[in-house]
Amino acid sequence: MLGALWDKRALLVSGKGGVGKTTLAAALAVAAARAGHSVLLVEMAPDEGGPSALGTLVGAKDTGSQVTQVRPGLRFVRLAASEGHRNFLQDTLPLRWLADAALRSRALRRFLEAGPALREMGLLYQLLALVRRTLPDGRFEYPLSIIDLPATGHALAIASLPRTVLALMPGGPIGRSVREGLDFLQDPARTAVLLASLPEPLPVSEALTLASELEQLGLPLAAAVLNRMPEDPFTPESHAALQRLLAAHGPHQGTRALGRLERARTAHARLAAGLRVPLLTLPELPTSGAELVERLADVFTSPTAGDVAREATP
């Protein structure tokens, strides 16, 4: 499964808050770089201020809107709406200095920063500019971009933005650029969405709802990840025997742990049946931060990673 994802131009990592989406995006980028791919790890955050959680996880020293090298094969960028606005003006105005002069206008900057849709257009346009970029020999400078989408509401707003803009401005430079972005996002040959969740009832329900919303927007969901899956040493038959034992002899100190394992099993089955895409499970590991990213990358690059994904495919 992972080999097919590495062949895409863009891998969008999505999920509700708290499911480990950002850590997952970082681990995927590290794993792809280890596999010999040239990777651009992208943080798409509507709020340009504050520290970069994603950049910190991969050790990026510069977390601004310019691409920076992190390690061999891996670069990082934090998208900025203002940079996207600059790119757009430079592409549409006849001279570069006109774009710079326009952005020095306080009134124009306030206008571009005023509405969420204009900020999201800036983010989308900068992403498109990076994806387009080529080397002198014609090869793409960033053949694989792994994009940590923002919180679900912002992510869906960005994904639905092209349709909204095209309804208002089907032609002209804005319409052409937005249409190009929409074609790119909806093309399963170039783009894939990876949906993250946790093995609990509510996160799975939220993941299934989000998957439906992404489908309505035409975004190609390619796979899902069930994060922090607890280790289960029991067979289904052993589970049933333990449940009978507990029912006969009353509560036990292991009741809570067994209940969590049962919820995890149910969540796995429900997500696999509801999404009908390859489902990869990641183990629950006793670490966090950059160390967790490296250990999850080990899981992704292990020889059995693809087998686990295939076994979970309905």
Side-chain angles (χ1 to χ4, degrees):
M1 180 193 75
L2 293 179
L5 294 180
W6 301 157
D7 290 337
K8 306 295 183 183
R9 294 292 325 285
L11 177 57
L12 311 178
V13 183
S14 184
K16 292 283 186 177
V19 300
K21 172 180 62 66
T22 296
T23 301
L24 175 60
L28 285 165
V30 170
R34 287 184 189 176
H37 298 274
S38 179
V39 185
L40 177 64
L41 179 60
V42 179
E43 182 176 39
M44 184 178 277
D47 179 12
E48 298 175 24
S52 166
L54 183 60
T56 300
L57 287 174
V58 294
K61 294 182 172 60
D62 183 359
T63 56
S65 60
Q66 301 302 312
V67 176
T68 182
Q69 186 84 30
V70 175
R71 63 178 73 184
L74 177 58
R75 286 170 284 189
F76 172 81
V77 66
R78 189 181 197 187
L79 298 188
S82 57
E83 189 66 21
H85 296 150
R86 181 183 301 278
N87 290 336
F88 173 75
L89 290 173
Q90 288 175 350
D91 287 349
T92 53
L93 294 177
L95 297 172
R96 184 186 182 95
W97 67 266
L98 288 176
D100 293 337
L103 285 173
R104 283 196 295 270
S105 165
R106 182 176 301 177
L108 178 61
R109 288 202 310 273
R110 285 181 177 174
F111 172 73
L112 293 173
E113 295 168 0
L118 293 172
R119 289 197 299 272
E120 288 152 358
M121 276 189 64
L123 295 173
L124 186 61
Y125 198 85
Q126 188 189 2
L127 175 62
L128 185 59
L130 290 169
V131 168
R132 286 174 177 156
R133 195 175 295 176
T134 57
L135 298 169
D137 61 5
R139 291 180 297 122
F140 288 113
E141 186 169 359
Y142 310 118
L144 171 62
S145 295
I146 296 180
I147 301 148
D148 179 26
L149 291 176
T152 302
H154 285 297
L156 292 174
I158 290 170
S160 62
L161 180 65
R163 291 183 178 183
T164 304
V165 174
L166 287 174
L168 298 173
M169 294 176 285
I174 294 179
R176 287 193 298 271
S177 296
V178 169
R179 191 175 300 280
E180 181 183 354
L182 181 62
D183 290 344
F184 179 81
L185 290 174
Q186 293 182 334
D187 183 2
R190 294 181 289 174
T191 300
V193 178
L194 188 68
L195 185 58
S197 186
L198 294 177
E200 292 287 344
L202 181 58
V204 167
S205 295
E206 292 174 336
L208 292 172
T209 299
L210 178 55
S212 176
E213 292 169 332
L214 292 171
E215 182 181 4
Q216 291 173 13
L217 292 170
L219 298 185
L221 181 63
V225 169
L226 203 54
N227 198 17
R228 304 175 200 159
M229 190 75 174
E231 183 180 2
D232 188 352
F234 303 109
T235 64
E237 294 75 15
S238 299
H239 264 281
L242 285 168
Q243 294 294 342
R244 289 194 297 270
L245 182 65
L246 290 173
H249 297 281
H252 184 272
Q253 62 182 3
T255 301
R256 180 176 297 179
L258 288 172
R260 183 169 180 246
L261 289 177
E262 187 62 32
R263 290 196 305 274
R265 278 173 169 259
T266 302
H268 183 280
R270 185 179 167 212
L271 196 60
L275 294 180
R276 301 198 175 278
V277 296
L279 176 59
L280 178 65
T281 59
L282 293 179
E284 189 172 38
L285 298 173
T287 186
S288 60
E291 182 181 352
L292 178 57
V293 168
E294 298 296 332
R295 292 190 62 180
L296 288 177
D298 291 340
V299 175
F300 285 129
T301 53
S302 70
T304 59
D307 296 332
V308 173
R310 283 192 291 273
E311 287 171 6
T313 304

